[in-house]
Amino acid sequence: MAKQKSDTIMDKVVSLCKRKGFIFQSSEIYGGLNSCYDYGPLGIELKRNIKDFWWKHMVQFRADIEGLDASILMHPRIWEASGHVAGFTDPLVDCKKCKQRFRADHVEEPGVCPACGGELTDERQFNLMFKTFMGPVEEQANVVYLRPETAQGIYVNFLNVLQSSRQKVPYGIAQIGKAFRNEITPGNFIFRTREFEQMEMQFFVKPDTATEWFEYWKQQRMEYYVKLGITKEKLAFHQHGPDELAHYAADAFDIEYQFPFGNMELEGIHNRTNFDLSRHQEYSGKDLSYFDDQTRERFVPYIIETSAGCDRTLLTCLVDAYEEEQLENDVRTVLHLAPEIAPVKAAVFPLVKRDGMPELAMKLIDELRPHFNVFYDHGGAIGRRYRRMDEVGTPFCLTVDSESLENQTVTIRERDSMQQERIAIDTVRKYLEDRITVRP
Ligand code: GAP
């Protein structure tokens, strides 16, 4: 019997990702490695643009935030101080019959296996940190961890950045980097994986201003996703109840997105109080307090954290942008990605492969290439070339035709409206810049 074609949005996005070179299964020729993925030519462009968009909003456009890139491997005492060795655990249950493993808090009927209905074991706590050994000797003294969050690299550099940048509290430190969690149940494509990238910002504030800054960052971060082009109505806040709060948080809100598989966390905004700096002060023996020379007060700063997943943001952008648009005689697959993050900014087509059109199109490509990621295509009917670009979210297509040879103009076609206009070739660069530049 032929396999029934699945038509869920997730299946379609996953298939498009593979077909068009956004995301591949890791180690595919060896049968794949569960929950690990590789970004292909278009995927890496999209990912870089998302990181760039975040960096511009969180660092470049602000005078009160500095950037950092801390190492993934850090002193193991950091994870004792942070509470991750003792408390970064998920409750694990095994099925006695089919032997599958589940997170106890993800099982609908307690004690019953969701896969086969068999009996589940009692819960045991499972630490999510990946462990490895530093140096050639595999003994306890040499254990190091792959960081489960990038945040700790920021906390332990609080003084370094403060002193070297001459910032004053309130100020923030931002970082983008890999994090690793030995998740019990990874899944939903790149939504939950064991290796992923985080984009985190830690904002250090005077304790009695923490609530105010927490509100400020909640609003900022929600507005950010709308600027990123995500459908506003699909975004919502979810406040953590007492049983959901991480061990470090006094208050936490998730920004949730309506994924096809449910409303799920896209970013966490946390009031971490002075938990982290106090603990590092205690474990390292270094004074991490701050002296405010205006109020003449000394305090250990509170931290307001905004923590977004890069891969999860990318999935959100793809799922949110995907549309199968019903046209008069046809269905058009289009990714309505914000032009600022689209992997390819513009495609240039000669209408036909003769009469000097390819040469003029290549000349335009050469002029644009130092500034934008552009793509040249002369294969097939013009309509099909447009469709190929729509499917990967290219916001603009430029066509060189016979009129171009006469008066140095091109047609420019906008992806979403499919409207075309004719503009002078020497204004193309400015036209694109006006529409794709990331702005505050
Ligand atoms: N420093 C705080 C922190 O790590 P979190 O809520 O555990 O907080 C923050 O994680 C963000 O990191 C999440 O909102 C999500 O976007 C991303 N994230 C967490 N675990 C992930 C995983 N296993 N796979 C992909 N992204 C993940």
Side-chain angles (χ1 to χ4, degrees), residues 315-340:
L315 179 63
T316 309
C317 291
L318 286 175
V319 165
D320 198 68
Y322 186 90
E323 189 191 12
E324 288 178 4
E325 192 182 24
Q326 187 64 54
L327 304 177
E328 221 169 293
N329 303 312
D330 196 5
V331 177
R332 163 173 98 123
T333 300
V334 50
L335 283 183
H336 299 284
L337 293 169
E340 296 93 324

Side-chain angles (χ1 to χ4, degrees), residues 184-341:
I184 297 167
T185 45
N188 287 321
F189 195 33
I190 55 167
F191 178 83
R192 182 174 291 108
T193 51
R194 296 190 171 114
E195 172 179 344
F196 54 97
E197 253 177 306
Q198 288 189 314
M199 306 186 287
E200 296 200 303
M201 192 282 299
Q202 315 295 325
F203 206 72
F204 301 90
V205 303
K206 197 164 169 261
D208 61 6
T209 63
T211 311
E212 217 176 294
W213 279 111
F214 188 59
E215 279 310 310
Y216 169 84
W217 279 111
K218 270 173 59 192
Q219 298 317 321
Q220 286 288 312
R221 296 304 300 154
M222 187 57 105
E223 284 167 24
Y224 163 91
Y225 285 108
V226 178
K227 279 192 207 151
L228 188 62
I230 306 300
T231 309
K232 196 174 178 184
E233 294 68 36
K234 292 196 170 184
L235 295 164
F237 282 117
H238 162 77
Q239 184 171 20
H240 283 208
D243 53 340
E244 287 173 280
L245 281 174
H247 60 272
Y248 49 72
D251 197 0
F253 276 78
D254 291 341
I255 294 180
E256 287 190 341
Y257 176 75
Q258 274 174 38
F259 287 97
F261 42 87
N263 294 358
M264 298 283 196
E265 173 183 348
L266 172 56
E267 160 157 351
I269 300 152
H270 311 124
N271 176 355
R272 295 180 73 132
T273 70
N274 59 8
F275 175 84
D276 300 278
L277 288 186
S278 303
R279 294 275 290 200
H280 287 306
Q281 192 165 252
E282 183 189 333
Y283 279 68
S284 69
K286 293 277 180 313
D287 179 5
L288 298 180
S289 66
Y290 174 82
F291 182 70
D292 187 328
D293 48 17
Q294 282 192 333
T295 61
R296 317 295 298 164
E297 283 172 272
R298 182 168 284 284
F299 54 84
V300 176
Y302 269 38
I303 290 163
I304 307 301
E305 166 182 69
T306 72
S307 176
C310 180
D311 314 79
R312 208 173 275 188
T313 303
L314 189 142
L315 179 63
T316 309
C317 291
L318 286 175
V319 165
D320 198 68
Y322 186 90
E323 189 191 12
E324 288 178 4
E325 192 182 24
Q326 187 64 54
L327 304 177
E328 221 169 293
N329 303 312
D330 196 5
V331 177
R332 163 173 98 123
T333 300
V334 50
L335 283 183
H336 299 284
L337 293 169
E340 296 93 324
I341 59 165

Side-chain angles (χ1 to χ4, degrees), residues 103-172:
R103 253 175 76 167
D105 54 340
H106 285 180
V107 170
E108 257 174 42
E109 202 180 330
V112 181
C113 172
C116 75
E119 192 190 342
L120 295 174
T121 59
D122 290 339
E123 269 178 44
R124 62 197 163 92
Q125 291 302 319
F126 171 75
N127 195 295
L128 300 183
M129 282 199 294
F130 276 96
K131 253 188 213 173
T132 187
F133 300 94
M134 189 101 139
V137 187
E138 296 194 5
E139 61 186 19
Q140 188 57 32
N142 295 336
V143 164
V144 287
Y145 300 96
L146 302 189
R147 64 183 178 196
E149 60 171 9
T150 63
Q152 300 300 326
I154 292 181
Y155 305 145
V156 298
N157 278 293
F158 164 67
L159 285 184
N160 284 337
V161 177
L162 184 76
Q163 286 154 6
S164 56
S165 65
R166 300 172 58 227
Q167 287 280 359
K168 288 186 186 312
V169 168
Y171 88 101

